[in-house]
Amino acid sequence: MTRLFCQDNPDILTLDATVVGTRPGAVLLSRHAFYPGGGGQLADKGVIRWAGGEAPVTGFSEQGGALWIEVGGGIEIAGNVQGAVDPAFRQRMRELHTDLHILNALVFRDFDGALVTGVQMNEDGTARIDFDLPDADNDRLRALEPELNDVVAQDLAVQTSYLSMTAAHAEPGLLRSRSVTPPPSPQGLIRIVEIAGLDRQACGGTHLASTGASRPVRILKIENKGRSNRRVRIGLQGL
């Protein structure tokens, strides 16, 4: 799949486009702002609009490197359209994904470079992240909440860049997942997300422009999942 527009422009939620492929219940656009899901982040919600009406986006499917946008009603769309991402949903995913990076950075620092074993963000403003932490003290993990929120309050800049696969694998701490690496672009580049002065890691999702755009975060629960897995559940305050 080619580089996604939303990865470099997460604040732009509406784009005019031309239909370049169509079939019942799905459309291929010349461009779009949607994130199709992946890395524990849910796919964007939104609509496709055209002169005769609009249809909700119900999902995404990839074929031959092209991203098809699935629409409700089994209709066929042609001509000029507009794709619009649900702003509240995108904002929630951006907050959760950025907050998980903050928590990941703190755990990586304080627990001897513990790797991530799974992530899932939810529509209700909660998320969970699993770490390979066989001997962790759960109270130490809970105690990270004040520092997590201090990082949010500092309003640190969040920026993205790209590295070659070789350079990404050569930089210690850049690849934090035990089993998953963000897929490279057709040019063989890995996307890097950096929180100024705190964190730098490979990731393909959408994030905030700065940590201060997130609501405060609560650590809701810590669970032991198996012999070595610790699951930390977080939630955005006010949701």
Side-chain angles (χ1 to χ4, degrees):
M1 188 187 302
T2 59
R3 197 152 117 190
L4 294 169
F5 177 89
C6 64
Q7 292 177 322
D8 297 322
N9 306 277
D11 291 311
I12 298 176
L13 304 181
T14 302
L15 285 176
D16 294 329
T18 302
V19 174
V20 296
T22 186
R23 64 185 188 217
V27 65
L28 187 63
L29 301 183
S30 59
R31 62 177 189 165
H32 65 85
F34 295 104
Y35 181 71
Q41 181 176 331
L42 297 176
D44 277 328
K45 297 179 178 295
V47 297
I48 302 295
R49 302 186 181 110
W50 63 96
E54 67 176 46
V57 173
T58 59
F60 302 87
S61 59
E62 184 181 353
Q63 291 185 359
L67 186 68
W68 287 82
I69 302 171
E70 299 166 6
V71 293
I75 59 177
E76 290 194 51
I77 304 170
N80 297 322
V81 300
Q82 182 184 80
V85 177
D86 181 319
F89 184 86
R90 168 68 69 82
Q91 175 66 18
R92 200 171 303 152
M93 291 298 107
R94 292 176 71 189
E95 289 183 58
L96 287 172
H97 211 151
T98 304
D99 295 332
L100 287 172
H101 273 234
I102 298 171
L103 179 58
N104 186 347
L106 299 179
V107 170
F108 189 79
R109 181 198 68 191
D110 291 353
F111 291 84
D112 300 321
L115 296 177
V116 173
T117 57
V119 176
Q120 182 61 57
M121 291 158 244
N122 305 311
E123 188 172 356
D124 64 359
T126 65
R128 58 94 171 163
I129 183 168
D130 296 1
F131 296 99
D132 184 10
L133 285 171
D135 301 313
D137 180 342
N138 288 354
D139 288 335
R140 281 185 66 203
L141 287 167
R142 290 189 189 93
L144 294 174
E145 182 179 305
E147 186 172 4
L148 196 165
N149 283 304
D150 181 60
V151 172
V152 170
Q154 289 179 49
D155 197 25
L156 302 179
V158 181
Q159 298 178 324
T160 60
S161 58
Y162 291 85
L163 284 179
S164 69
M165 283 283 288
T166 301
H169 282 278
E171 185 173 327
L174 201 64
L175 304 176
R176 300 278 181 82
S177 173
R178 179 164 290 283
S179 58
V180 178
T181 301
S185 71
Q187 295 75 34
L189 300 178
I190 294 290
R191 181 169 177 263
I192 309 301
V193 175
E194 182 169 0
I195 301 175
L198 176 74
D199 188 45
R200 177 175 162 85
Q201 62 176 289
C203 183
T206 61
H207 297 80
L208 301 169
S210 64
T211 61
S214 174
R215 282 161 276 207
V217 182
R218 296 169 294 149
I219 293 182
L220 302 174
K221 189 176 184 180
I222 297 174
E223 303 169 277
N224 298 343
K225 293 290 184 179
R227 184 176 64 181
S228 63
N229 202 58
R230 290 295 186 278
R231 175 167 295 174
V232 184
R233 296 189 183 272
I234 67 170
L236 298 172
Q237 292 188 24
L239 292 180

